[in-house]
Amino acid sequence: MDAIADFLATYSTTFAIVGINALLALSVWLTLYAGQLTLGNAAFMAIGAYTSALLGRHLGAPFPLALAAGAVAAAALAAPLGLTVFRLRGVYLAIATLAFGEVVRVILLATPITGRGQGLNGIPPKTELWHIYLSLAVVAYVLWRVQGSIAGRAWAAIREDEVAAASQGIAVRRYKLAAFVLGALLAAWAGGLSAHVTFSIDPNDFAFTKAVQILVFAVVGGIPNVLGPVLGATVFTALPELLRPFKDYRDIFQGAILLAVIIYLPRGIVTLAELRKTRRLAEIGAADVA
Amino acid sequence: MLLETRQLSRTFGGVHAVDRVDLAVAAGQAFGLIGPNGAGKTTLINLISGHLRADGGSVLLDGATVTRLAPHELTARGIARTFQGVRLFKGLTVFDNVLVGRHARLRSDVVRRLVPRRSRADPDRERAMGLLERVGLRRRAGALAGELAYGDQRRLEIARALASEPRVLILDEPAAGMNPSESGRLRELMRALVAEGITIVLIEHDVGLVMGTCERVAVLNFGRKIAEGSPAEVRASAAVREAYLGAEDVA
């Protein structure tokens, strides 16, 4: 038992980050499953992190309330943003959401209350491991059930063919917006949790690199089911730790794994057991995430 | 009249794709829409189903103006359609395609699904299976829609459209790519649907199929309606012959 306790104590930060990254990966899964490539989730994460930390510091808000306020703030911002950017598709949508992330970062850099370039320091470590893993369990379960629901099928239909989806009575814009807002909510929740793990945050924690990292977790893990993003986040967060002995070559290993997955498992690691279906989908030229 | 267009118009950069077209489709009718390539048939259908905005004129469904409604709202009100060149959800199963087609008639089940219960008989799933049976695709229910042969894809698209329980079913060249026996079965299916009270608007290149199925036919050419009437009347129209065969042959 002591050995296990030691292990947990030594790696508790790693475990925390794995869980938070899994939540972030699930936040971008929502839009990806509906066929929409958005890269704004690092910014929503920042909004959750700063809002919850500032509320705790200046108003003494209880931790759960501060987390919830951060999530709601991100969702409230995502709604009007989504109404605007979902006029765009594909790579244009990705660029627009990325630009939004840059705007958020620059505002954080320029605002006194967010600590400008220094960010916020001395954030109390209120996040317990069980907060993270309870959140993850609840979110993963809900998304799994949603995937098989009418809404989940509507998202899949939108991904396959928007025009035909509208023709089946699906309110396409409303469904896209719902996926985007829920994703923002989730990313901000994860951001709040992460701020209270890491002691300090600054605007560059939530920049372009973070947005791409979140996307890589989800895509490498696989979009066809909710286990994919969780698995992708786990592998890509734990890997640097496992590869510590080969420190100098770590980035090379990571890059090689990324390449291998994209080439040989284009639908993600979770589809290892369904290579035949991947081939069938490729043959008929279907959207390649289903 | 169940479905009407009044002076419906749409231009594309100066070209009058649909030019002041009046149509009146009675409930329970099979209505044919024919015309040479580029006559504006598909544009007209896109205007009616909400996929294109009209520049002028109006669309009425059961007397109510529906000109500005979005496609999904029109589906909820009872207009379903298929597409020229087939637009299925290729990566979803045949069965799921039909279930998605039922979207307009379903109520959200997210909350219900969060508490798993033992599965009960689901009338919507049974209905979807029944529709697949009807178009002869029951055995392929688990296949991916994109894997079906072209004729089967067309029939699946019709089953998907029927899943929304439409009052008006618009079929855009449903027989394209079908062999004679398949198009014969399609004709039977359309007749059965009309007998059940579904109104059909049929756009077809195969004039024989239109003449054999529809009680009333309208002819478009260069965006204008040039003739309308029973198949026999349309066949006798000089304007129609001119449109199809060229002016010189008429004399």
Side-chain angles (χ1 to χ4, degrees), chain A residues 141 145 150 160-161 167 280, chain B residues 75 87 91 113-114 147:
Chain A
Y141 175 77
R145 297 303 292 173
I150 292 162
E160 297 286 326
D161 188 329
S167 219
R280 280 159 67 201
Chain B
T75 308
R87 300 189 82 133
R113 281 183 54 84
L114 292 183
E147 292 178 316

Side-chain angles (χ1 to χ4, degrees), chain A residues 4-20 127-130 132-133 197 241:
Chain A
I4 294 173
D6 273 357
F7 178 75
L8 276 176
T10 315
Y11 287 102
S12 76
T13 311
T14 308
F15 278 118
I17 295 172
V18 165
I20 286 164
T127 303
E128 307 278 349
L129 264 190
W130 69 266
I132 296 170
Y133 282 90
V197 170
E241 294 298 322

Side-chain angles (χ1 to χ4, degrees), chain B residues 133-151:
Chain B
E133 175 91 67
R134 184 154 194 191
V135 297
L137 288 171
R138 194 192 173 96
R139 284 190 311 139
R140 306 294 318 268
L144 297 174
E147 292 178 316
L148 296 182
Y150 195 63

Side-chain angles (χ1 to χ4, degrees), chain A residues 224-235:
Chain A
N225 67 56
V226 296
L227 272 182
V230 176
L231 195 66
T234 309
V235 169

Side-chain angles (χ1 to χ4, degrees), chain B residues 90-105:
Chain B
K90 289 193 280 185
L92 305 188
T93 63
V94 168
F95 184 65
D96 277 348
N97 267 269
V98 181
L99 269 188
V100 172
R102 222 176 141 59
H103 186 90
R105 303 289 165 244

Side-chain angles (χ1 to χ4, degrees), chain B residues 61-250:
Chain B
L61 181 67
D62 218 357
T65 307
V66 294
T67 320
R68 297 263 158 221
L69 294 187
H72 69 270
E73 295 168 314
L74 289 163
T75 308
R77 288 181 184 226
I79 296 181
R81 66 169 294 183
T82 65
F83 292 87
Q84 190 178 9
V86 190
R87 300 189 82 133
L88 291 170
F89 308 118
K90 289 193 280 185
L92 305 188
T93 63
V94 168
F95 184 65
D96 277 348
N97 267 269
V98 181
L99 269 188
V100 172
R102 222 176 141 59
H103 186 90
R105 303 289 165 244
L106 300 176
R107 302 190 60 186
S108 173
D109 60 345
V110 171
V111 178
R112 201 162 11 109
R113 281 183 54 84
L114 292 183
V115 188
R117 262 167 276 179
R118 241 182 285 146
S119 61
R120 280 172 297 151
D122 181 342
D124 292 306
R125 289 179 168 268
E126 277 164 28
R127 193 182 198 103
M129 256 324 174
L131 283 169
L132 285 177
E133 175 91 67
R134 184 154 194 191
V135 297
L137 288 171
R138 194 192 173 96
R139 284 190 311 139
R140 306 294 318 268
L144 297 174
E147 292 178 316
L148 296 182
Y150 195 63
D152 289 348
Q153 292 196 9
R154 288 214 167 274
R155 280 182 294 151
L156 173 57
E157 209 187 14
I158 294 173
R160 185 180 70 179
L162 287 172
S164 68
E165 297 174 44
R167 290 196 281 172
V168 182
L169 175 64
I170 303 171
L171 301 170
D172 196 350
E173 299 199 14
M178 282 188 176
N179 62 37
S181 92
E182 283 176 323
S183 73
R185 263 183 295 163
L186 175 67
R187 186 185 309 216
E188 278 166 37
L189 176 64
M190 286 191 288
R191 281 192 183 140
L193 292 173
V194 169
E196 286 165 32
I198 295 175
T199 307
I200 290 181
V201 177
L202 173 66
I203 297 154
E204 217 4 282
H205 258 308
D206 179 350
V207 176
L209 183 65
V210 175
M211 297 299 187
T213 320
C214 300
E215 298 127 62
R216 211 167 166 76
V217 178
V219 188
L220 288 188
N221 195 26
F222 295 117
R224 292 237 177 133
K225 187 173 80 176
I226 56 168
E228 186 182 340
S230 69
E233 285 164 358
V234 165
R235 221 188 287 263
S237 154
V240 175
R241 284 196 208 170
E242 190 181 316
Y244 271 92
L245 303 171
E248 287 184 23
D249 300 292
V250 178

